[in-house]
Amino acid sequence: QWLRGFQAVAECGNMSQAAESLGLRQPAVSYLVQCLENELGVQLFHRRNKSMELTAEGRLLQEKAITMFDLVKEIRCEVGSGSRQEYKGEISLSTTHSVSANIIAGPLARFHQKYPLTSFILQSGGESSFTLELVNSSSIDFGILAGKDFPATIEARPLFLSRLVLVSRRDTVFTRDEQGFLKNSSELDGVPFVAFSSASTLSRVVTDELLECGASPAVASTANNSAVILSYVKAGMGVTILEDFTVRNCGDELDIYPLPGDEALRQYSLITRRRKHLPPQS
């Protein structure tokens, strides 16, 4: 109970919201935290007006507490009545809008058809830190992210590779090499360009790729969704660089130029928190 009180305050950032989430009164939650601090002999929070900010010891304890709560769930599932569960219940995951729409929609639908008592809670966003934070706090079961360097608390299983591709209208032609790849990225210098908003992880990847080849496109518009960006390209706003899986059905309307080299490849992985308990359906 002390740990649950502590974890509620750590997640909510203040006593009143933590008390509400636990169905307790504020003095009761404050007492739980004080008991835990006395037991451990350390201060777990910096108390500032109505807010509660974790100390270094508090952050360490929160990491341990998340693992402990997952272990309790595992015991209930494997030893208790949960061990006889069918595949039913919620499965939570987070990824980007593009992966949600182009990669996992079919697999999730097939899984649900096979196990109709399951349901999915999907949270999607453009910034990888959003998904990473949800997974690391054990708030969701899975995340799907591009990248290689993850925190030590994260376990990553490779899923698929994507390649960056240049997308343009048929009336804007670029040079291809013998394999059909974009031959010279410097041709993009000064060309009207539709970019992802700067908050997007892909925006930083594309910017680095263009800087590497010495090209500086003229940004005509920005958006935070690949479908919106493609509609702008089709309307004649400019060219863009996206991932290959987002343009699989655009070959009849647009020209697709894969970018050459390993630098244009992105590794996507399924990430979970290490030692996290996953219910049977997950």
Side-chain angles (χ1 to χ4, degrees):
Q1 285 300 99
W2 295 351
L3 276 173
R4 292 196 182 281
F6 159 79
Q7 179 66 1
V9 176
E11 288 181 345
C12 296
N14 64 65
M15 284 287 184
S16 59
Q17 290 184 16
E20 184 177 350
S21 70
L22 293 171
L24 299 173
R25 294 191 174 191
Q26 186 171 327
V29 178
S30 179
Y31 176 73
L32 293 175
V33 173
Q34 288 173 8
C35 287
L36 187 56
E37 289 181 324
N38 292 336
E39 173 72 17
L40 298 175
V42 295
Q43 183 178 345
L44 299 173
F45 294 97
H46 295 298
R47 293 159 172 83
R48 296 187 173 93
N49 295 326
K50 294 183 179 180
S51 67
M52 304 283 285
E53 182 180 325
L54 286 168
T55 63
E57 294 82 1
R59 287 192 296 272
L60 177 61
L61 179 61
Q62 187 183 33
E63 286 290 322
K64 301 291 186 182
I66 291 172
T67 300
M68 288 178 65
F69 291 139
D70 278 329
L71 181 59
V72 171
K73 294 176 186 175
E74 185 176 339
I75 291 171
R76 284 175 175 163
C77 181
E78 295 184 2
V79 180
S81 59
S83 60
R84 297 185 294 274
Q85 286 183 345
E86 303 174 25
Y87 284 174
K88 60 182 179 180
E90 294 178 344
I91 303 170
S92 56
L93 65 156
S94 175
T95 187
T96 64
H97 296 304
S98 296
V99 172
S100 299
N102 297 283
I103 295 293
I104 64 174
L108 296 194
R110 290 192 293 273
F111 187 93
H112 179 69
Q113 289 164 7
K114 188 173 183 180
Y115 305 107
L117 297 180
T118 60
S119 61
F120 291 92
I121 300 175
L122 178 61
Q123 302 189 51
S124 57
E127 184 60 48
S128 60
S129 59
F130 172 76
T131 292
L132 193 59
E133 183 178 339
L134 289 175
V135 172
N136 207 26
S137 65
S138 206
S139 300
I140 60 172
D141 298 329
F142 304 109
I144 299 176
L145 283 182
K148 298 177 182 178
D149 299 321
F150 295 103
T153 52
I154 296 296
E155 181 177 349
R157 299 181 180 92
L159 282 183
F160 64 92
L161 286 171
S162 73
R163 181 176 289 277
L164 297 179
V165 295
L166 172 67
V167 186
S168 71
R169 293 208 321 179
R170 295 289 172 83
D171 54 7
T172 306
V173 180
F174 298 91
T175 308
R176 297 180 186 270
D177 64 15
E178 58 276 7
Q179 295 178 299
F181 286 69
L182 181 68
K183 186 173 184 178
N184 193 346
S185 298
S186 62
E187 291 184 43
L188 295 174
D189 196 44
V191 172
F193 194 81
V194 184
F196 264 99
S197 57
S198 58
S200 166
T201 304
L202 185 59
S203 173
R204 296 191 289 272
V205 173
V206 170
T207 299
D208 291 344
E209 178 73 14
L210 292 173
L211 287 174
E212 183 72 22
C213 64
S216 298
V219 175
S221 178
T222 61
N224 62 357
N225 183 290
S226 59
V228 174
I229 290 176
L230 284 171
S231 69
Y232 285 6
V233 173
K234 292 175 185 177
M237 183 77 74
V239 303
T240 193
I241 292 178
L242 296 173
E243 295 184 87
D244 52 9
F245 62 82
T246 66
V247 296
R248 288 173 179 169
N249 300 319
C250 298
D252 295 337
E253 302 175 78
L254 301 167
D255 278 338
I256 312 296
Y257 301 81
L259 301 191
D262 292 342
E263 298 82 7
L265 289 173
R266 304 189 76 202
Q267 174 70 64
Y268 276 83
S269 298
L270 181 76
I271 64 170
T272 56
R273 181 182 168 84
R274 290 190 185 278
R275 300 183 63 182
K276 174 178 173 57
H277 166 67
L278 294 174
Q281 69 275 13
S282 299

